[in-house]
């Protein structure tokens, strides 16, 4: 028995989409009795549809190819043939070595899985938002998707807009939504279509749209103007991957005017990598940083926090800068430059009367 999701199989495979609309319409249990449908091969096909990856024993390749052909997955058939030929060539070149498992993983440039699952996000959008977003394109949105079954099982209401979504993505990727939808953390009611209706407050429809696409596609539209808001939402909805994505985007905007604000943001949301990037930038631009009044405030605050812990031998921001000054020393010239910067820090702390 394989417990699967109609929405995913329909979005990823035209064969399943057609069968769910015709022969399997309305059925919750589907029995495949054909002798050529081998369970282990069927499991591999499902793995591919869900993840874009496939792992199977060499002995099961023919069964997988047969099912891929039945499901009209031509790209998967081509990949299996290609990998199998390469394995056989490898075995011939390395006598005594036998390959027993065929493994297929999508390359970095293959976005087919994201595109297919993104179709569900496209169709989950309220009609009124579709017209606003795609009005400038000069064509109808979602060409060719009108007949794609969507099978929603949850409706989120955001600013009176109704998003027809799927619990598998929200509950599977966010503990917040899992508690909200499964553990009955929030209030909901049932619509005329027998869909749970869940209001989501304190978020705009546009921000929810971006959040929704991240859950479906593992990617998010981020700009300098919106990335901080999405970071806050990622923290609120317990999306660690989106937090890392936002942090990576924010790091592009580190300069002498923003580094201290970004450092505070990184500390607030526990983004250690982003904080390290800020301290590295400050180490490389120490002359300018030491002149910033806000930097003095951060140093004093770090020193005060440590005194409260009865520990006066270090200051966090100073330690991080010193580490980045000395960690990359490779030449005599680097050593001289590092010594000068360390003396500058000592003089700076002495002026502030801080023992560190």
């Amino acid at each position: 028995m394989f417990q699967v999701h109609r929405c995913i199989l329909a979005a990823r495979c035209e064969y399943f989409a057609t069968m769910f609309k015709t022969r399997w319409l309305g059925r919750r249990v589907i029995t495949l009795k054909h002798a050529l449908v081998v369970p282990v091969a069927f499991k591999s096909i499902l793995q591919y549809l869900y993840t874009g990856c496939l792992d199977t024993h060499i002995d099961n390749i023919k069964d997988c190819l047969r099912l891929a052909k039945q499901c009209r997955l031509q790209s998967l058939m081509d990949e299996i043939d290609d990998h199998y030929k390469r394995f056989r060539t490898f075995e011939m070149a390395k006598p005594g070595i036998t390959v027993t498992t065929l493994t297929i993983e999508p390359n970095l440039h293959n976005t087919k899985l994201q595109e297919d699952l993104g179709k569900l996000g496209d169709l989950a959008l309220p009609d009124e938002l579709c017209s606003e977003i795609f009005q400038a394109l000069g064509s109808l949105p979602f060409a060719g998707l009108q007949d794609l079954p969507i099978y929603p099982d949850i409706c989120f209401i955001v600013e009176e807009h109704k998003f027809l979504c799927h619990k598998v993505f929200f509950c599977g990727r966010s503990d917040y939504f899992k508690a909200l939808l499964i553990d009955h953390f929030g209030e909901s009611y049932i619509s005329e279509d027998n869909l749970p209706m869940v209001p989501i407050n304190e978020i705009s429809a546009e921000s929810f749209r971006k959040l929704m696409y991240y859950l479906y596609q593992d990617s998010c539209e981020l700009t300098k103007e919106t990335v901080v808001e999405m970071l806050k939402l990622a923290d609120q909805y317990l999306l660690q991957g989106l937090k890392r994505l936002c942090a990576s985007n924010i790091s592009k905007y580190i300069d002498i005017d923003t580094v201290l604000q970004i450092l505070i943001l990184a500390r607030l949301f526990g983004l250690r990598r982003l904080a390290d990037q800020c301290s590295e930038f400050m180490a490389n631009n120490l002359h300018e940083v030491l002149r910033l009044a806000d930097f003095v405030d951060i140093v004093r605050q770090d020193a005060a926090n440590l005194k409260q812990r009865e520990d006066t031998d270090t200051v966090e921001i100073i330690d991080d800068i010193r580490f980045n000054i000395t960690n990359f020393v490779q030449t005599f010239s680097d050593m001289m430059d590092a010594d000068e910067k360390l003396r500058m820090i000592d003089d700076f702390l002495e002026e502030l009367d801080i023992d560190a």
Side-chain angles (χ1 to χ4, degrees):
M1 181 173 288
F2 300 94
Q3 295 185 340
V4 297
H5 305 85
R6 277 187 289 260
C7 60
I8 294 179
L9 298 190
R12 291 281 284 147
C13 177
E14 183 181 352
Y15 174 80
F16 280 106
T18 301
M19 295 298 288
F20 288 140
K21 289 193 301 181
T22 55
R23 187 180 302 176
W24 298 342
L25 180 64
R27 293 170 60 179
R28 295 185 60 83
V29 178
I30 298 167
T31 303
L32 305 178
K33 297 181 178 180
H34 200 291
L36 295 180
V37 181
V38 180
V40 66
F42 189 72
K43 180 180 180 181
S44 296
I45 296 298
L46 291 178
Q47 178 196 13
Y48 175 78
L49 293 177
Y50 271 78
T51 68
C53 304
L54 182 143
D55 296 288
T56 191
H57 194 277
I58 290 294
D59 296 341
N60 301 322
I61 288 181
K62 290 184 178 180
D63 294 324
C64 289
L65 279 172
R66 187 182 299 112
L67 283 177
K69 182 178 181 180
Q70 175 67 26
C71 295
R72 304 168 200 156
L73 297 171
Q74 185 61 48
S75 60
L76 176 58
M77 296 170 60
D78 295 339
E79 287 190 79
I80 292 176
D81 283 334
D82 179 62
H83 279 69
Y84 185 73
K85 290 176 181 177
R86 279 192 279 165
F87 284 162
R88 287 296 176 232
T89 302
F90 177 78
E91 286 181 335
M92 292 176 62
K94 303 285 186 180
I97 296 180
T98 302
V99 177
T100 60
T101 303
L102 181 140
T103 300
I104 293 176
E105 295 180 344
N107 61 51
L108 295 176
H109 304 292
N110 189 340
T111 59
K112 185 67 167 62
L113 177 63
Q114 289 179 306
E115 292 171 1
D116 286 344
L117 298 181
K119 298 173 186 175
L120 297 174
D122 292 342
L123 295 171
L125 282 176
D127 291 340
E128 60 272 18
L129 291 187
C130 294
S131 59
E132 293 176 8
I133 294 169
F134 292 91
Q135 186 176 11
L137 297 181
S139 61
L140 292 175
F142 322 136
L145 299 183
Q146 293 87 348
D147 297 328
L148 178 66
I150 182 173
Y151 308 110
D153 55 11
I154 190 73
C155 177
F156 293 107
I157 303 176
V158 186
E159 293 185 335
E160 300 183 358
H161 299 291
K162 295 180 180 180
F163 292 79
L164 302 179
C165 301
H166 307 86
K167 292 179 183 178
V168 58
F169 293 96
F170 284 79
C171 298
R173 305 206 62 194
S174 166
D175 287 339
Y176 177 95
F177 282 108
K178 180 177 181 294
L180 180 68
L181 303 179
I182 295 181
D183 300 334
H184 308 293
F185 177 68
E187 298 181 357
S188 64
Y189 57 93
I190 304 300
S191 71
E192 296 179 358
D193 299 327
N194 203 34
L195 278 182
M197 310 281 283
V198 180
I200 302 293
N201 302 315
E202 299 180 358
I203 181 175
S204 68
E206 175 61 17
S207 295
F208 186 82
R209 180 186 72 85
K210 294 178 181 178
L211 190 74
M212 178 189 72
Y213 272 106
Y214 172 76
L215 294 173
Y216 280 99
Q217 294 185 291
D218 204 39
S219 63
C220 184
E221 303 171 26
L222 297 173
T223 65
K224 188 175 183 179
E225 291 73 26
T226 64
V227 65
V228 174
E229 179 187 2
M230 294 309 300
L231 174 60
K232 295 176 181 177
L233 293 175
D235 185 70
Q236 176 182 346
Y237 294 115
L238 308 179
L239 297 168
Q240 294 301 317
L242 182 55
K243 285 180 67 174
R244 290 191 295 270
L245 191 64
C246 290
S248 177
N249 185 274
I250 291 173
S251 68
K252 298 186 299 184
Y253 307 116
I254 295 176
D255 58 33
I256 195 63
D257 296 320
T258 64
V259 63
L260 297 179
Q261 290 82 359
I262 292 176
L263 174 64
I264 293 172
L265 196 70
R267 290 181 171 185
L268 179 63
F269 290 101
L271 303 170
R272 185 61 202 176
R273 171 60 182 155
L274 183 59
D276 289 341
Q277 289 173 304
C278 290
S279 59
E280 181 180 350
F281 177 88
M282 287 187 280
N284 293 332
N285 300 272
L286 189 61
H287 292 79
E288 294 88 345
V289 170
L290 293 180
R291 300 192 189 103
L292 299 175
D294 290 342
F295 180 70
V296 175
D297 294 338
I298 291 178
V299 172
R300 289 191 184 279
Q301 182 61 51
D302 282 1
N305 291 339
L306 287 160
K307 288 177 182 178
Q308 292 170 8
R309 298 202 303 266
E310 298 181 358
D311 182 3
T312 59
D313 64 340
T314 184
V315 174
E316 181 180 358
I317 185 61
I318 296 298
D319 262 9
D320 290 341
I321 293 175
R322 281 173 169 161
F323 171 80
N324 281 284
I325 289 173
T326 59
N327 191 48
F328 303 104
V329 172
Q330 294 182 337
T331 66
F332 181 77
S333 177
D334 292 340
M335 186 183 303
M336 296 295 290
D337 183 56
D339 286 342
E340 180 186 354
K341 287 183 176 180
L342 292 175
R343 283 194 298 270
M344 290 172 59
I345 291 176
D346 291 340
D347 294 341
F348 172 80
L349 293 172
E350 186 174 348
E351 290 180 10
L352 297 181
D353 192 25
I354 293 176
D355 182 14

